[in-house]
Amino acid sequence: PSGGTQHALGGTNGRGLHPLSYARLHEFLSDSAPFRELDLRPGDRCAIAMPDGPELAVCLLAISMRCTVVPMNPWNPEGEIAADLAETGAKAVIVPLGEDFDHVRRAARGCGAAVIGLVPRPEETGLFDLIREGGEAAGDGPAVGGVDRRFNGPEDTALELFTSGTSGRKKRVPIRLRDLCVGAACIAAALELGPEDRGYNMMPLFHVGGIVRNLFAPLLAGSGMIYSDGFDAAMFWDELDHGAGFNWYYASPTMHDSILQEGERRPGSTHRLRLICNAAGDLLPTT
């Protein structure tokens, strides 16, 4: 984002936070001070194991700008997290400071990765500070290509994800910054997103669908997004009835069904959405 007062994101985490403008988001992402504890460069891997919410959204943006971000499900078992960290060679893992994710910390330290605690800023939606939780610095060795670069270039790997493994052993998929942005721009164009739109994210941000469709695509379109702490059909309707308002969302078939069932219990709620997206399975004709 280049600046302005357009709202980039908000959250539904019960803390009464204010929306974050594009101008403030740009200022935060460009500042090196909050990320000094990482000491990572393009080509290094940094995992993020955090619950959904606006802090995770901003953290994904910030890390994918500077090195290769590896989003992980923080509720996966310790052994699976350790195996994924070992395969990626992650130098650091970002977790919520003081939260109950000690299994992630054990997995990280067992793989020699630095543990970085994330502390939300109470008065600014999505913004945070990072604190290294002991141990060695995250970065070491020479920079990629011998050049001490601060941000990724178009050909650098910005994101690494694991496939679901439904047809066998899951595979690691690297995604270049150029491809990530092109894919997100195509989605933004196909959905005709613009500054007048505001979406509602309930999808996990450790999967490609939530990351590309609900984070990078709205960002490139200058749209606003509301990032919930996870899926809850009642919270969805509360936000639609009494919150900041949104005009599109993206979800899976099971989530759509839950939203419809909750809506039937609220006969007074009438809303008009511009767009509803579906993924992760076909919708039944009855839905």
Side-chain angles (χ1 to χ4, degrees):
S2 60
T5 58
Q6 170 72 18
H7 290 161
L9 60 87
T12 58
N13 50 16
R15 292 203 301 264
L17 303 182
H18 301 292
L20 179 68
S21 71
Y22 268 87
R24 183 67 183 106
L25 177 62
H26 180 267
E27 181 183 27
F28 178 79
L29 294 175
S30 303
D31 185 6
S32 61
F35 307 100
R36 286 196 185 113
E37 293 288 354
L38 289 175
D39 190 26
L40 296 174
R41 308 174 179 90
D44 292 333
R45 268 68 178 169
C46 178
I48 302 177
M50 288 179 47
D52 285 315
E55 288 81 17
L56 175 56
V58 176
C59 193
L60 285 167
L61 288 174
I63 304 306
S64 66
M65 289 168 56
R66 289 170 164 80
C67 60
T68 302
V69 64
V70 185
M72 293 186 169
N73 183 346
W75 290 281
N76 276 347
E78 180 179 338
E80 184 174 349
I81 291 175
D84 291 347
L85 291 175
E87 183 168 346
T88 61
K91 292 186 175 181
V93 182
I94 298 176
V95 295
L97 186 70
E99 294 286 342
D100 188 18
F101 291 104
D102 286 342
H103 68 292
V104 177
R105 291 176 170 85
R106 289 192 299 269
R109 288 169 179 145
C111 296
V115 178
I116 309 294
L118 183 145
V119 185
R121 295 185 181 178
E123 299 302 324
E124 295 187 288
T125 299
L127 304 191
F128 52 82
D129 293 296
L130 298 175
I131 299 174
R132 185 151 44 90
E133 297 184 16
E136 298 301 320
D140 52 25
V144 174
V147 179
D148 189 9
R149 290 189 288 123
R150 181 180 173 191
F151 295 117
N152 283 328
E155 304 308 317
D156 288 313
T157 300
L159 176 67
E160 277 193 354
L161 295 168
F162 286 92
T163 61
S164 60
T166 53
S167 59
R169 187 175 181 273
K170 61 182 183 180
K171 301 174 181 65
R172 182 160 51 100
V173 181
I175 303 173
R176 297 181 303 171
L177 181 61
R178 181 192 303 277
D179 297 332
L180 180 61
C181 291
V182 168
C186 289
I187 290 172
L191 300 184
E192 300 180 356
L193 296 179
E196 70 282 358
D197 291 307
R198 181 183 286 117
Y200 186 74
N201 177 63
M202 303 169 284
M203 301 296 286
L205 291 178
F206 48 80
H207 286 162
V208 68
I211 293 171
V212 178
R213 191 184 295 265
N214 283 352
L215 179 58
F216 279 89
L219 183 78
L220 293 177
S223 296
M225 284 295 297
I226 300 169
Y227 292 93
S228 73
D229 284 354
F231 174 65
D232 183 281
M235 187 168 65
F236 172 92
W237 281 98
D238 288 343
E239 186 66 28
L240 197 57
D241 285 337
H242 309 296
F246 55 92
N247 64 350
W248 74 279
Y249 76 93
Y250 156 59
S252 66
T254 303
M255 297 162 76
H256 290 305
D257 288 338
S258 296
I259 288 169
L260 286 174
Q261 291 170 13
E262 175 66 22
E264 290 172 353
R265 294 192 284 268
R266 303 189 185 205
S269 295
T270 57
H271 301 279
R272 189 178 295 273
L273 298 178
R274 183 177 75 81
L275 179 70
I276 295 174
C277 299
N278 177 67
D282 295 334
L283 287 176
L284 293 173
T286 52
T287 305

